[in-house]
Amino acid sequence: MTTAPSTPMFTQDFWDDPHPVYAAMREQAPVHRLQLPTGTEMWLVTRYADARSALGDPRLSKQAGATQNAAALAPAISAPLTRHLLANDPPDHTRLRRLVAKAFTARRVEQLRGRVEELSAALIAAMAADDRGDVIDDYAVQLPIQVICELLGIPQEDQTEFRHWTGILVAGSVDRSGVPAAAASFLHYLRALIAAKRAEPADDLLSALIATTDQGDRLDEDELTSMVFLLLIAGHETTVNLIGNGMWTLLTRPEEHRRLLADPALIPSAVEEFLRLESPVETATFRVAMEPVTYGGVTIPAGGVVAISLLSADRDPDRFPDPSAVDLGRPDNQHLAFGHGIHYCLGAPLARLEAQIAFRDLLAAFPAMRLAVPPSELIWRPGVLIHGTTTLPVHLS
């Protein structure tokens, strides 16, 4: 086992192109012991088979990982924000997922299709008013935020604030300086929002979550707050970067761009390839080993913080032939971008729905879209959790 990769990690150069570093790490060892810029020591799993195994390993505790990650926050702030699905193990996780799933059904997601198409059409029309635009700011951010706001019943005018807070929080593993203030502001906002929905319920997901019961069981106040917190972050951050990374992939590979333009029926499988090739989630949220665990011959001691690189695992040549190549019709594309096991992303159907509509509409409206700057000038977001460009400036015609 090596203690660090030969190329520096957690620098802007790394975030702008992490794949050579991950390829070297996969070649060197299955697990690496690293230190984050915040001082946290972690064990990074990089190969597909080990990552898939670790994602479903009950010996790795999400709850302990969430507690460790929230150590910089006061208990009065961290407790109400770490009671959601991703921060709990069974039996609490099982209970929470059962309650939330009753309100977050496939039928409810499918009912959103018409509204997602309306929102997409409006964003496309606004972009078409100018020859130059930014796929991230003008579309990729706007669509999932508007969808999750409508789904939860949140005023659209509040989206700028919580977009700012989530940006700070998802980068918190690198720089925690702004995390306490952002978390406190988010918590205050969520509590006021839930109180308003209790007083005046509506036909939205938040009101449904408040009312949901299962044999007399219901979400308590901290669980409600934490679940809305998770849905707001996961409900837009993942899709923002799925759309942005997918368009970046097409715009830097003209042959694949032309292929998808010529055959829109490939869009569903193309979305899966974008998820595999440039996963919007770089690393799964941290877990803690509750006993010694071994992956690929490397033993992680009890108490070790475990991070699983989805971005690296999904380019493992032992699992995917020619993993750095784009294959919009790739067969057997069992990527890990939405996780695996009991913590598999509850919002995956919504993310897929939004992404398929997004690529269909962007390609149809702007078939001649091209980058307005060289790819080397694009800046990718810093952080261990999220993988995506900060901007994507384009010419539309």
Side-chain angles (χ1 to χ4, degrees):
M1 181 204 70
T2 56
T3 56
S6 57
T7 304
M9 295 186 74
F10 314 130
T11 64
Q12 192 58 54
D13 285 344
F14 167 74
W15 288 311
D16 285 345
D17 187 11
H19 298 297
V21 177
Y22 282 135
M25 294 178 77
R26 287 191 303 271
E27 187 71 24
Q28 291 166 12
V31 181
H32 294 257
R33 189 175 184 178
L34 305 171
Q35 186 176 67
L36 291 172
T38 57
T40 298
E41 288 196 352
M42 69 177 187
W43 298 76
L44 184 67
V45 179
T46 58
R47 296 177 184 171
Y48 182 94
D50 298 320
R52 193 174 189 274
S53 178
L55 288 167
D57 195 332
R59 298 171 297 173
L60 301 183
S61 170
K62 279 277 200 171
Q63 192 162 344
T67 300
Q68 193 278 337
N69 202 42
L73 302 178
I77 296 175
S78 64
L81 298 181
T82 54
R83 298 282 301 281
H84 54 72
L85 298 175
L86 282 183
N88 276 279
D89 307 316
D92 289 339
H93 172 271
T94 308
R95 169 183 164 269
L96 289 170
R97 192 168 184 112
R98 184 177 66 244
L99 282 165
V100 174
K102 289 173 71 71
F104 203 85
T105 62
R107 181 181 62 83
R108 184 183 285 269
V109 170
E110 183 56 33
Q111 286 174 342
L112 289 170
R113 179 179 295 275
R115 184 57 181 147
V116 174
E117 291 176 336
E118 289 177 3
L119 292 170
S120 176
L123 292 170
I124 293 289
M127 290 178 70
D130 198 339
D131 174 62
R132 182 160 174 160
D134 189 303
V135 172
I136 302 296
D137 289 342
D138 298 339
Y139 189 95
V141 168
Q142 300 300 325
L143 182 67
I145 280 190
Q146 290 183 26
V147 171
I148 199 64
C149 280
E150 290 201 8
L151 182 62
L152 286 165
I154 294 175
Q156 293 285 348
E157 59 267 22
D158 294 346
Q159 65 180 257
T160 301
E161 278 192 306
F162 72 71
R163 170 71 177 163
H164 172 69
W165 296 328
T166 58
I168 293 172
L169 294 173
V170 297
S173 55
V174 176
D175 178 8
R176 290 183 176 169
S177 60
V179 168
S185 297
F186 214 153
L187 177 59
H188 177 76
Y189 172 80
L190 293 173
R191 282 177 166 160
L193 180 66
I194 290 169
K197 288 294 179 183
R198 282 194 190 280
E200 295 186 31
D203 183 19
D204 54 51
L205 180 57
L206 179 49
S207 297
L209 289 172
I210 292 170
T212 291
T213 62
D214 184 80
Q215 297 180 347
D217 187 19
R218 65 174 62 241
L219 299 171
D220 67 27
E221 198 69 15
D222 281 354
E223 289 167 347
L224 264 172
T225 304
S226 194
M227 279 307 308
V228 178
F229 172 72
L230 173 65
L231 290 169
L232 279 174
I233 294 179
H236 81 275
E237 281 287 357
T238 303
T239 312
V240 169
N241 296 296
L242 168 53
I243 296 170
N245 295 356
M247 286 307 304
W248 175 86
T249 298
L250 292 175
L251 296 175
T252 55
R253 294 166 175 83
E255 184 176 341
E256 297 302 322
H257 191 188
R258 289 191 293 270
R259 182 185 179 191
L260 198 55
L261 284 168
D263 187 2
L266 281 171
I267 286 175
S269 64
V271 167
E272 302 307 311
E273 182 70 340
F274 300 148
L275 285 162
R276 184 198 68 81
L277 191 75
E278 297 290 353
S279 172
V281 177
E282 180 165 347
T283 303
T285 52
F286 295 167
R287 292 157 163 83
V288 172
M290 305 310 288
E291 60 183 80
V293 294
T294 301
Y295 302 113
V298 177
T299 298
I300 300 170
V305 177
V306 181
I308 303 161
S309 176
L310 310 180
L311 193 65
S312 175
D314 281 341
R315 289 210 184 190
D316 187 341
D318 289 339
R319 177 59 183 83
F320 299 100
D322 200 4
S324 297
V326 181
D327 182 354
L328 300 181
R330 183 180 291 270
D332 188 28
N333 194 351
Q334 300 298 312
H335 59 76
L336 299 175
F338 288 125
H340 172 70
I342 64 171
H343 291 288
Y344 183 83
C345 179
L346 190 68
L350 178 58
R352 286 185 165 111
L353 172 69
E354 291 174 345
Q356 290 174 18
I357 290 171
F359 288 108
R360 180 198 70 189
D361 290 358
L362 286 167
L363 291 170
F366 309 116
M369 182 189 293
R370 65 192 189 282
L371 284 174
V373 298
S376 60
E377 291 186 13
L378 295 173
I379 297 173
W380 291 69
R381 295 172 64 179
V384 177
L385 181 62
I386 294 296
H387 174 64
T389 63
T390 57
T391 61
L392 195 62
V394 292
H395 291 295
L396 299 174
S397 62

